Amino acid sequence: MAKEKGSFKEFLSAVAPEYQAFVEKLNNQLMQQGCDLVIKEAKSGYAASYQLKKKTVMNWVFRKSGILARIYGDNASRYEDIIASLPADMQKKMTASRDCKRLIDPNACSATCVKGIVYTLNGNTHKKCRNDGMFFLLTNETAEHIAKLVCAEVNVRKADS
């Protein structure tokens, strides 16, 4: 699926005009925090991945509905205050996402799976698949929350290294 690499400028031009300034600002923040950006052409447009020490922190993914942020919240339990401050619809999206089969049964998923994300919200512990546990459509309402989540993940990963 993934083909030759594209440039950030080409990727940004594929983003809806009303979100380009936000995506560019978040790109600058993540680059300043030491992330590397990898852009590839995919079937549905571009796929842009931010990596810290060769481990993906976040992807921008294009769908018919718009551009979505997939945040790999491996350390979600360490910024539960940010998760608790998300709007109700974002919290609902997280809690309604599919459970991580491997966290429930270590033999239930691929051996290459790195396991899901675990966090507590409203007194309930959630064990969600890392591929859609934090997968949000970029809107005016979600933008700043997406930025807070991904920056929190980057900060925890940097503190651990």
Side-chain angles (χ1 to χ4, degrees):
M1 279 184 236
K3 297 178 187 152
E4 62 195 63
K5 294 181 180 182
S7 72
F8 180 73
K9 186 177 175 182
E10 291 169 326
F11 160 74
L12 193 61
S13 71
V15 174
E18 62 268 28
Y19 303 124
Q20 288 179 358
F22 169 78
V23 170
E24 189 166 20
K25 178 182 169 191
L26 183 56
N27 175 71
N28 292 338
Q29 285 179 306
L30 294 173
M31 299 300 273
Q32 287 172 355
Q33 290 183 319
C35 291
D36 295 315
L37 174 61
V38 177
I39 298 174
K40 296 179 181 175
E41 287 186 48
K43 190 167 51 172
S44 58
Y46 291 96
S49 300
Y50 291 91
Q51 300 177 346
L52 191 63
K53 297 192 177 178
K54 299 193 182 201
K55 291 195 173 193
T56 303
V57 179
M58 178 192 147
N59 294 331
W60 285 119
V61 182
F62 288 92
R63 297 287 191 267
K64 287 181 182 176
S65 57
I67 188 169
L68 290 98
R70 175 178 284 130
I71 302 165
Y72 296 100
D74 298 349
N75 299 288
S77 65
R78 294 177 57 191
Y79 47 88
E80 290 173 343
D81 56 330
I82 294 173
I83 294 170
S85 73
L86 295 174
D89 58 332
M90 289 180 77
Q91 288 181 5
K92 184 177 178 184
K93 175 115 176 59
M94 286 180 68
T95 58
S97 66
R98 69 180 184 260
D99 290 333
C100 174
K101 292 186 259 179
R102 192 149 187 231
L103 284 171
I104 296 165
D105 175 4
N107 299 315
C109 196
S110 165
T112 60
C113 174
V114 295
K115 294 188 183 170
I117 60 175
V118 179
Y119 61 91
T120 300
L121 179 64
N122 300 326
N124 298 313
T125 299
H126 300 275
K127 298 176 180 182
K128 299 298 178 177
C129 176
R130 75 188 298 263
N131 290 322
D132 73 343
M134 291 187 186
F135 194 40
F136 304 107
L137 180 66
L138 178 59
T139 66
N140 290 330
E141 293 75 34
T142 63
E144 290 305 318
H145 299 289
I146 288 169
K148 285 180 186 175
L149 284 169
V150 72
C151 288
E153 181 65 31
V154 168
N155 288 333
V156 171
R157 289 186 190 194
K158 284 176 63 177
D160 287 350
S161 59

